[in-house]
Amino acid sequence: GAGVSQSPSNKVTEKGKDVELRCDPISGHTALYWYRQSLGQGLEFLIYFQGNSAPDKSGLPSDRFSAERTGGSVSTLTIQRTQQEDSAVYLCASSLERGNTEAFFGQGTRLTVV
Amino acid sequence: KQEVTQIPAALSVPEGENLVLNCSFTDSAIYNLQWFRQDPGKGLTSLLLIQSSQREQTSGRLNASLDKSSGRSTLYIAASQPGDSATYLCAVITTGNTPLVFGKGTRLSVIA
């Protein structure tokens, strides 16, 4: 596609349920990032994929959070046993490669845990 | 650890005014610096990318400068318009295997 696509755009889930958020990066982009943005807050880094290298998971807030990237393209962020503090906008970005290239963001998934 | 600071946190200006947004970073070993715009409830839109070897980039009414050695960047907006109202974020990629690090943004309001 023309840009980074995220789905769903909105997700309401009950506390304790698992959710999966999807990111389709721009075709050919080898770097993929996940961030989250809580209401009125800045962007919090979650995880970063670069090509076939091991992902940088240093930003994942707990072991309830995990992400994978299949075939170097689509990525799924999974949150298990959701909590109310997980409510936020989850943003995905991709770039051609990590270094001197521009990063492009999707429109985000707004997750609400009730 | 790279830290990015943006000043001011919020800014309100009358339409037509020229303005400058500031971004500073603690580690000057960067690959590039990128300015983004975020409208309420939306994702981020890339405005300008400055490579570490560059001093400035221009796009329309926007001009971004980079002084890597002092750890500073500015975003200059000429002849501001109400449509420029948004939050402006800067982010850097530091050499080494690190992700994009963001500042907390400057919330700009341009009053008609």
Side-chain angles (χ1 to χ4, degrees):
Chain A
V4 178
S5 177
Q6 291 188 246
S7 60
S9 55
N10 282 284
K11 176 73 176 179
V12 180
T13 190
E14 292 180 353
K15 178 181 172 181
K17 294 282 181 69
D18 298 351
V19 295
E20 286 188 350
L21 312 179
R22 177 186 170 104
C23 174
D24 282 273
I26 294 172
S27 178
H29 280 195
T30 63
L32 187 148
Y33 306 83
W34 283 98
Y35 290 83
R36 76 175 175 182
Q37 188 174 36
S38 302
L39 188 63
Q41 301 299 309
L43 271 77
E44 176 188 4
F45 165 70
L46 297 177
I47 188 169
Y48 158 64
F49 297 88
Q50 173 59 61
N52 294 321
S53 301
D56 176 355
K57 304 179 182 179
S58 61
L60 295 178
S62 77
D63 59 7
R64 296 187 295 105
F65 288 72
S66 63
E68 62 178 22
R69 188 177 185 191
T70 54
S73 181
V74 172
S75 178
T76 302
L77 177 68
T78 301
I79 309 173
Q80 296 178 310
R81 305 180 303 282
T82 52
Q83 303 295 314
Q84 287 188 328
E85 60 263 29
D86 299 335
S87 296
V89 176
Y90 289 80
L91 292 161
C92 174
S94 72
S95 64
L96 192 58
E97 59 184 33
R98 192 189 73 85
N100 287 340
T101 58
E102 195 170 1
F104 296 90
F105 277 77
Q107 290 300 299
T109 294
R110 181 176 298 278
L111 175 65
T112 304
V113 182
V114 297
Chain B
K1 178 184 173 185
Q2 179 73 271
E3 293 183 1
V4 179
T5 303
Q6 291 188 246
I7 295 173
L11 180 64
S12 183
V13 300
E15 181 177 7
E17 194 161 295
N18 303 324
L19 59 102
V20 174
L21 307 180
N22 296 291
C23 172
S24 62
F25 46 95
T26 54
D27 185 347
S28 62
I30 63 169
Y31 274 128
N32 64 48
L33 183 144
Q34 196 167 351
W35 282 93
F36 295 88
R37 166 186 175 137
Q38 186 176 31
D39 294 283
K42 304 290 186 181
L44 277 67
T45 300
S46 178
L47 297 174
L48 289 164
L49 172 75
I50 309 179
Q51 311 284 6
S52 61
S53 59
Q54 297 176 322
R55 298 283 293 182
E56 65 178 307
Q57 282 286 343
T58 298
S59 175
R61 293 183 294 108
L62 305 180
N63 176 278
S65 68
L66 174 64
D67 184 342
K68 198 174 77 163
S69 61
S70 67
R72 293 179 184 176
S73 176
T74 62
L75 179 66
Y76 175 83
I77 303 177
S80 59
Q81 302 171 358
D84 295 331
S85 298
T87 296
Y88 290 80
L89 296 146
C90 74
V92 297
I93 287 188
T94 312
T95 55
N97 195 26
T98 59
L100 271 168
V101 178
F102 281 84
K104 294 189 183 299
T106 293
R107 189 172 65 255
L108 174 66
S109 297
V110 181
I111 311 301

